[in-house]
Amino acid sequence: MQAELVDQARRGDREAFAVLAGSAVDRLYGIARLILRDAELAEDATQDALVRAWRDLPALRDVDRFDAWMYRLIVRACADVGRERRRWRTEITVLSTEPSEPDRASDLADRDQLERGLLRLSPAQRAILTLHFHLGLSPGEAAEALAIPVGTAKSRLHYAIEALRAAIEADERLTVGTQRKDRTA
Amino acid sequence: MTANHDLERRIADFYATEPVLRAPDRVLGNALTAIESTPQRRVLMQAPWRFRPLNTYAKLAIAAVAIVAVAFTVRTLMPGNNIGGPPTHGPAGTPLSSPTPDATATQVAALELPADDRPLEPARYYVVVPGSDVRVEFAVLETDWRGNGWYLASPRGSLSFWTVANVYANACEESLLPDPPVGPSVDELVAALDAQENTDLQRLDNPSVGRYPSTRIIMELSARLGTACLGENLELWVGPGGQPGRSIDVQEPPGGREDVMWLVDAGGNRVVIGGYYDRTAPEEARSFTDLIDSIQFVLP
């Protein structure tokens, strides 16, 4: 069914594309939010990715690779939006939900630490982490989505994890005083 | 390794508990409004990277403009006009031909290759090869390359820069790293890759790269893979400190792309340049050879 819609859309059928876009927009937006950590930038990136998808769809050779191709477009759109707007460095959007029970405070603290660490990474680094850990893509599948060799995808993932580790450690050094205050509050 | 596993588990848990988000209606609405006035890029379905056929006059006109534009860009960006300076000599080796410095030539400083996947403007860029102090400078002439730190990618494939510390004896067994590790020369690296189980090495030629000798090879899967090759990719080597190296996907690469590598002895510094492209596609091949031909090494 999707393959037929993709084939129709790449021949200029806007209604077919609208159906494809409608079924993909939430998934793409979720990916963009994870990469950019900013709701407004994620909206822009998702819109850009959908418009690029319409524009470049005739160049998609294999209709069965539409999903992987869309992942590539949303990652590229996030890179472009993140670079052009340069807002991710200054705006912090915490996406985790509020804890409802006191005994989840440590889980929230751990989550917040990861969140702060992720904010220190580049969109490209968050992209490979999102593809691998959120979408569950193997390095091979992520490589296909990003049109890079598998070894490059694995290296990129390795460096992204190491960068996150360094960011968390840096955050721990900077926020020790704040954490002590939180614990005693 | 435990620390690595713990962090990866934390990352996995983090992403697994991310709330499922719904895009605001305006996102889809705005996109669909935009495509009403957005034409699709029409291509030949049989050759999506080529343009629609042109008549003879149009082809000649475009070719003439392209030749003038490329000649101007190449003259500005390529070495040989002392733009970017002559290569530095390392203690162990010399370039294949002596440079002729021109003290009056204007030097164009190379830009650091961006690491955020941004589109690259035509210019000279440099990469410090990971795990070494060797700097590789090169010219980007086309507008669809994107920079990613130690590699650059385009619709035609990608090019990356490596330091090899050791070679897996068996590309399907990451636990089998020889001790002592592979020797430092290009010939020793070629021999180690040639002996590697579950991969085949094909020697192509010995072009000079940045005026230093190199051996160009292709690495591919063996025709018959061993039973240990159950994963999705084969690991060729590791970098310094155990950094992941180049691997080969067991799935058939798209569009006839191959893992083409230049193993360069740059004044005693071994640098591996990994290309991933279709050698049989003239436009793809030229894109990569142009880039390789523009390389200059700046040695520590």
Side-chain angles (χ1 to χ4, degrees):
Chain A
M1 177 65 176
Q2 177 175 277
E4 281 183 31
L5 286 172
V6 173
D7 194 46
Q8 290 168 7
R10 70 178 178 178
R11 295 175 192 279
D13 187 335
R14 284 184 167 82
E15 289 184 8
F17 182 80
V19 174
L20 287 171
S23 66
V25 67
D26 289 342
R27 179 163 32 99
L28 297 177
Y29 177 69
I31 294 170
R33 283 288 295 266
L34 288 169
I35 292 173
L36 292 168
R37 316 307 285 177
D38 181 291
E40 195 171 327
L41 293 182
E43 287 186 31
D44 291 344
T46 306
Q47 280 176 211
D48 286 351
L50 290 174
V51 174
R52 292 180 198 189
W54 164 255
R55 184 192 64 197
D56 298 339
L57 197 50
L60 178 63
R61 299 192 220 191
D62 186 349
V63 296
D64 291 325
R65 296 190 185 276
F66 178 73
D67 285 343
W69 184 70
M70 285 305 306
Y71 292 151
R72 188 186 314 168
L73 291 185
I74 191 65
V75 168
R76 293 247 172 99
C78 287
D80 291 341
V81 167
R83 178 179 58 252
E84 289 169 9
R85 307 299 171 85
R86 299 190 186 281
R87 287 171 58 189
W88 65 273
R89 293 181 185 277
T90 56
E91 293 189 19
I92 297 175
T93 304
V94 178
L95 299 179
S96 56
T97 55
E98 294 290 333
S100 58
E101 300 161 11
D103 58 0
R104 293 187 59 199
S106 63
D107 289 344
L108 180 61
D110 184 71
R111 190 174 181 80
D112 283 349
Q113 186 183 54
L114 272 173
E115 177 72 42
R116 289 193 298 273
L118 286 168
L119 285 170
R120 290 170 175 261
L121 303 188
S122 70
Q125 290 169 326
R126 287 197 294 268
I128 191 69
L129 292 175
T130 300
L131 292 179
H132 182 63
F133 288 104
H134 179 66
L135 293 178
L137 300 188
S138 67
E141 290 166 332
E144 182 190 350
L146 298 173
I148 56 177
V150 175
T152 303
K154 290 189 73 173
S155 294
R156 200 158 157 178
L157 182 62
H158 167 82
Y159 287 127
I161 293 172
E162 290 306 306
L164 180 56
R165 183 193 312 284
I168 290 172
E169 290 171 355
D171 180 76
E172 284 176 346
R173 288 192 293 272
L174 285 173
T175 60
V176 162
T178 304
Q179 288 173 347
R180 284 185 182 145
K181 280 186 188 176
D182 289 341
R183 290 194 188 109
T184 57
Chain B
M1 291 296 290
T2 301
N4 277 348
H5 181 73
D6 286 345
L7 178 57
E8 291 191 31
R9 181 186 52 75
R10 288 176 64 192
I11 297 171
D13 289 344
F14 175 90
Y15 280 104
T17 53
E18 280 285 295
V20 176
L21 300 173
R22 186 175 175 279
D25 291 340
R26 59 178 172 271
V27 174
L28 180 61
N30 290 344
L32 294 180
T33 299
I35 71 168
E36 289 296 324
S37 57
T38 303
Q40 288 187 314
R41 285 182 175 164
R42 287 287 143 206
V43 294
L44 292 177
M45 294 310 296
Q46 294 80 7
W49 300 117
R50 288 170 169 76
F51 295 104
R52 192 177 293 278
L54 299 168
N55 63 42
T56 302
Y57 284 122
K59 286 180 187 176
L60 286 173
I62 290 173
V65 171
I67 289 170
V68 170
V70 170
F72 177 78
T73 305
V74 168
R75 182 180 173 80
T76 306
L77 297 177
M78 294 290 275
N81 285 323
N82 285 306
I83 294 172
T88 306
H89 296 266
T94 58
L96 294 181
S97 60
S98 300
T100 52
D102 178 359
T104 63
T106 302
Q107 298 234 349
V108 176
L111 306 171
E112 185 177 11
L113 187 70
D116 56 359
D117 200 36
R118 72 176 64 180
L120 300 176
E121 295 293 327
R124 277 193 76 78
Y125 294 88
Y126 76 86
V127 167
V128 178
V129 184
S132 82
D133 295 321
V134 175
R135 174 166 149 156
V136 183
E137 296 185 1
F138 50 89
V140 170
L141 302 177
E142 294 150 310
T143 57
D144 57 359
W145 285 97
R146 304 177 81 90
N148 286 277
W150 80 96
Y151 74 95
L152 51 163
S154 77
R156 295 169 299 285
S158 62
L159 197 75
S160 51
F161 302 90
W162 306 87
T163 302
V164 176
N166 205 351
V167 175
Y168 290 107
N170 185 333
C172 298
E173 292 280 354
E174 290 187 49
S175 61
L176 296 180
L177 275 174
D179 185 17
V182 65
S185 71
V186 166
D187 287 343
E188 286 167 310
L189 178 57
V190 171
L193 291 171
D194 200 10
Q196 188 177 64
E197 290 184 48
N198 291 305
T199 60
D200 287 339
L201 181 148
Q202 179 184 351
R203 287 177 175 79
L204 294 180
D205 48 20
N206 295 92
S208 68
V209 179
R211 300 180 182 171
Y212 289 102
S214 83
T215 299
R216 192 166 70 128
I217 64 172
I218 290 178
M219 291 297 295
E220 53 193 351
L221 304 175
S222 290
R224 288 185 179 182
L225 294 179
T227 54
C229 300
L230 298 177
E232 58 192 36
N233 52 69
L234 276 56
E235 303 291 336
L236 301 181
W237 65 67
V238 291
Q243 292 173 357
R246 187 72 175 258
S247 63
I248 300 177
D249 193 351
V250 295
Q251 303 296 325
E252 187 175 335
R257 290 181 177 173
E258 299 170 305
D259 289 88
V260 184
M261 300 171 197
W262 291 260
L263 283 55
V264 187
D265 179 357
N269 300 275
R270 187 175 63 199
V271 175
V272 177
I273 303 171
Y276 183 62
Y277 65 99
D278 183 354
R279 286 186 303 136
T280 64
E283 289 181 14
E284 289 196 14
R286 185 177 62 246
S287 178
F288 282 82
T289 53
D290 282 350
L291 220 153
I292 295 293
D293 287 345
S294 75
I295 280 178
Q296 277 188 313
F297 291 97
V298 180
L299 304 180

